[in-house]
Amino acid sequence: MDVCGALSIFPNCGILSSQAKFQIVNTSFEQFIANYSVPLSLPGFFLHLALAGIAGWGLGWIYRRYGTVLSNRDGFSQNFILLCMTTTVIISVVKSSLALSLGLVGALSIVRFRSAIKEPEELVYLFFCIAIGLGFGADQLWPTLGAIAMIVPVLVIRGSLNRKKHTQDLLLLLGIPLPSELSLETVLEILDRHCSSIHLKRLDETPGQLDMSFVLVFNNVQALSAMKTDLRTKAPAIRLQFLDQKLLPVS
């Protein structure tokens, strides 16, 4: 639409200067932004807000049960409900006003989400929560429910497979005071009973000390505990040190 068509109430539009035409159009555009609004349906809003809360709770349960992150999953997953519902509220309110939509851009440049993300999986779940909130807030009920129904089984299957395949590599440092019943052959025999893989990395022997380092693969924490018990039975004064900080699966 040209300027004269947009401003048909001005019969002498053709004789207006370019600067005057721009000012008139700019004023009309600002009025359009300020006055444009879509009525918000309260029943639909509260329905979508409740669904977002339920979806956030369910996603938190899936994250705690099938997540592979080794940090505090219980504490992190408690944010999912609030994140889903807050995103739903923001999108529901903002979509009803074009002025609020433009103002949100400026607000996001000031407020930054500074969360300590230690694992990529945490970021994936956060994006999923935001996507759920965006879908419900935009009144896209069935596409959002369909996406949840397709993505959740993928998360469950992925988590189940990772739990079955999960092993842990640990760097074990042994310090054995001499004389001792533990020789290299005895240590290897004990490790072989409890580890699925053994790699000798270093062996240092002095007149009063035998130092060894191994890269070991354990399938569960029970094997690690049994190995430690066997080693200390042979040499109570043995020094054990694990350099990997990751936890082992309980089952």
Side-chain angles (χ1 to χ4, degrees):
M1 180 182 294
D2 58 3
V3 176
C4 293
L7 304 175
S8 58
I9 60 175
F10 295 94
N12 296 325
C13 180
I15 62 175
L16 291 176
S17 64
S18 299
Q19 184 177 2
K21 294 176 182 178
F22 175 77
Q23 292 177 350
I24 294 173
V25 173
N26 188 38
T27 303
S28 301
F29 181 67
E30 291 178 354
Q31 293 176 350
F32 170 75
I33 293 178
N35 297 327
Y36 176 82
S37 63
V38 177
L40 181 62
S41 173
L42 290 181
F45 168 73
F46 288 115
L47 173 62
H48 295 159
L49 189 62
L51 291 175
I54 295 173
W57 176 84
L59 186 61
W61 182 86
I62 292 173
Y63 179 72
R64 292 190 299 270
R65 178 66 178 82
Y66 297 99
T68 59
V69 176
L70 299 174
S71 59
N72 185 12
R73 292 200 296 265
D74 291 336
F76 189 76
S77 62
Q78 291 178 1
N79 301 313
F80 291 174
I81 298 177
L82 185 59
L83 181 58
C84 290
M85 298 182 70
T86 302
T87 306
T88 302
V89 172
I90 293 175
I91 300 303
S92 299
V93 174
V94 165
K95 75 175 182 179
S96 63
S97 172
L98 186 57
L100 290 176
S101 301
L102 297 177
L104 181 63
V105 178
L108 292 178
S109 65
I110 300 174
V111 181
R112 294 177 176 87
F113 185 73
R114 297 184 180 274
S115 176
I117 304 300
K118 301 181 179 65
E119 299 285 348
E121 186 179 15
E122 295 179 348
L123 190 60
V124 170
Y125 275 88
L126 289 179
F127 271 115
F128 192 18
C129 291
I130 294 174
I132 292 173
L134 287 172
F136 286 127
D139 289 335
Q140 301 298 320
L141 176 61
W142 295 112
T144 304
L145 292 177
I148 294 174
M150 295 183 65
I151 296 176
V152 166
V154 175
L155 296 176
V156 173
I157 295 174
R158 172 181 172 272
S160 300
L161 293 178
N162 287 339
R163 281 177 175 269
K164 292 179 180 179
K165 296 179 180 179
H166 186 70
T167 59
Q168 182 64 57
D169 297 346
L170 293 176
L171 178 59
L172 172 63
L173 302 181
L174 292 179
I176 306 173
L178 297 179
S180 173
E181 297 182 9
L182 278 179
S183 61
L184 175 61
E185 292 76 12
T186 306
V187 171
L188 290 175
E189 180 183 352
I190 294 175
L191 296 181
D192 185 61
R193 290 202 299 264
H194 305 289
C195 305
S196 58
S197 178
I198 305 172
H199 298 281
L200 178 63
K201 305 296 292 185
R202 184 174 63 88
L203 174 63
D204 294 331
E205 185 174 0
T206 60
Q209 183 82 13
L210 177 62
D211 295 318
M212 292 177 282
S213 62
F214 298 89
V215 175
L216 307 176
V217 177
F218 295 94
N219 292 325
N220 50 61
V221 72
Q222 288 81 4
L224 173 60
S225 179
M227 182 208 70
K228 290 167 53 180
T229 301
D230 289 349
L231 289 175
R232 291 200 179 278
T233 300
K234 293 288 185 179
I238 190 174
R239 178 177 57 85
L240 299 173
Q241 185 177 5
F242 297 95
L243 298 185
D244 198 324
Q245 301 299 320
K246 295 182 179 180
L247 301 177
L248 296 175
V250 176
S251 59

